Amino acid sequence: MTNKDFNEINGLGDENADVNVYIQNRPTFGFEHNQRAVYPLKKGEIYALGQACGNGWRKVFNVYAKLLYALPNKCFEFNDAYASWQQYRDQELLQSRSKTALWFSPPEFQQTNKLHIVMGRTYAKSLSLPNTLEWINPEFAIDLHRRLIVCPYFDYRQLSNSKIIFLVDLIAENFTKK
């Protein structure tokens, strides 16, 4: 089995995702070779990634799953079949047809019906994001037209449970299904 160089992969998950999260760094991990720039994870690979790449990556996946699990179904239907966010994380997050992706490249806004979330103010400021981004407070910004949100990094200290609820409310108020 050949491993694809992780630097060739632009992201993890579903290349046609409804929820697209952007992160500045990428884990160092050997993935099974495939021809796509987006690697859909398989069951067990989130755990393997966390084991190989450390607690920081476990936190990213955990916060991502907690966020999606908390969203009301009027936004995106991610949580119906799972009893917990942990079960959702392990059974569906960032897998093929999961409607979720974690990107290691800047956002592209061709499809306006997709949600884009940039992790971290510092990363957001390093990107060439539109000047229509409106800062709600020092940690959260939104661009309704591009369906873009900037939020704290997916870490328990930076994006705490109360901030996850703030982000859930922000998404629910502004980005419901059409």
Side-chain angles (χ1 to χ4, degrees), residues 75-127:
C75 298
F76 303 95
E77 295 176 12
F78 291 112
N79 56 11
D80 284 350
Y82 303 100
S84 68
W85 65 264
Q86 295 94 334
Q87 191 179 59
Y88 168 74
R89 176 200 61 209
D90 297 339
Q91 299 297 314
E92 188 166 343
L93 182 66
L94 301 174
Q95 294 183 26
S96 178
R97 292 185 222 94
S98 67
K99 300 186 226 167
T100 61
L102 180 64
W103 297 96
F104 313 122
S105 56
E108 295 180 12
F109 302 105
Q110 288 88 356
Q111 297 177 318
T112 58
N113 61 336
K114 309 295 182 179
L115 178 62
H116 305 278
I117 300 173
V118 174
M119 267 195 250
R121 182 182 180 113
T122 303
Y123 180 45
K125 288 190 172 208
S126 75
L127 301 172

Side-chain angles (χ1 to χ4, degrees), residues 109 116 118 120-121 124-125 127-136 140-151:
F109 302 105
H116 305 278
V118 174
R121 182 182 180 113
K125 288 190 172 208
L127 301 172
S128 297
L129 295 178
N131 60 4
T132 53
L133 199 58
E134 178 186 334
W135 287 93
I136 298 167
F140 291 87
I142 191 167
D143 180 332
L144 293 173
H145 176 71
R146 289 181 180 81
R147 298 178 58 92
L148 169 65
I149 295 176
V150 174
C151 72

